[in-house]
Amino acid sequence: FRFLELYPYGGREELRGLVTPFLDPYDKPSRHIRRILRDVVAAGLTMNPVMMVMLNLPLPWDFIFAARLERKRRALEERLPGWLDTLQRLEALQSLANFADLHPEYHFPEIRERIEEGAIFSATGLGHPLIPHQNRIRNDFDIDRRGRVFLITGSNMSGKSTFLRTVGVNLALAFAGGPVTAQAMRTQLFRLTTCIQISDSLREGVSYFYAEVRRLRDLLREASAESAQPVLFLIDEIFKGTNNIERHVGASCFIEALAGGPACGIVSTHDIDLTRLADRLPDVVNLHFREHIVDSRMVFDYTLRAGPCPTTNALTIMRLEGLP
């Protein structure tokens, strides 16, 4: 607290405004804490039996300082939440500032309350910040309007799930006030909603599939609600916890419910038959990742392409790992 009170803020008006609770000379934290420490020391004198007798004979020493400390406790009770909120915000902003300083090649996005013309989300050279720079593959991605559902197909390990996380992580960074791993990014405000990395619960008696259904139910409710800030949803491997027939029917109906609505987003799947939805639903767009076989090895370029995926690799992976 003393460091924040004495820091030379200079012309940093935004920062000075944030730390206003620490700059009042009569109400700053260090002043309150010093006064408490003095009373604590004075109250502690009676821990010595001799001093206890000497101090409590002429006046009710313990009672006086118990009352003084109680008054100071009440004063702190009013102020401490505000001080801690300010510290928490400073710590978050410091982390984002440090992140930006460590990665000067990242860029701050352009964020608008609402975009009336042009793409409502547009990113050039979008990459995942946790992938090392030398291994990071960047992709361009645009969402031209609400109601769009981008259906991403592709082989195992081709990059579908990572791309969903790439979009989500960069939006989270952008809305927190940090730089994004992109050459340029422009977005309106969204309510980011995801169905990624679902887990079952033995304690609650919930299977993977049921947990996914509940998450998608909540996502659909959020996505269907009209709001100035629409939902941007990210759904990874939709309904992979059930059989092929019911997965296809359920996923088809779910995507139909989202397409053309107030929300927009991305759905990844291994169900190639779902790509036919784009033939009758104008708001469904097919994208894909693919692999190449080179010298009996799978090679991935992690490049996002238009259209449904023309290749599969599950049997190839089984064969390369020695399964029949």
Side-chain angles (χ1 to χ4, degrees), residues 155-224:
S155 306
N156 295 284
M157 305 186 296
S158 61
K160 301 187 301 299
S161 299
T162 299
F163 183 72
L164 265 66
R165 288 170 169 82
T166 297
V167 173
V169 167
N170 280 289
L171 272 174
L173 282 171
F175 294 156
V180 296
T181 313
Q183 295 167 0
M185 181 169 154
R186 177 174 177 262
T187 181
Q188 76 167 60
L189 290 176
F190 291 103
R191 290 176 289 141
L192 188 60
T193 308
T194 69
C195 183
I196 299 175
Q197 202 170 352
I198 306 299
S199 61
D200 56 5
S201 173
L202 183 64
R203 183 173 60 184
E204 296 179 8
V206 175
S207 68
Y208 174 91
F209 176 69
Y210 189 58
E212 182 183 19
V213 167
R214 293 198 304 185
R215 176 74 66 85
L216 289 173
R217 175 202 62 195
D218 295 340
L219 186 152
L220 187 60
R221 288 174 180 170
E222 285 289 322
S224 302

Side-chain angles (χ1 to χ4, degrees), residues 233-250:
F233 55 83
L234 303 171
I235 304 173
D236 192 26
E237 301 291 353
I238 186 169
F239 291 136
K240 70 177 180 180
T242 189
N243 62 78
N244 292 343
I245 297 174
E246 291 178 308
R247 176 179 62 194
H248 179 77
V249 173

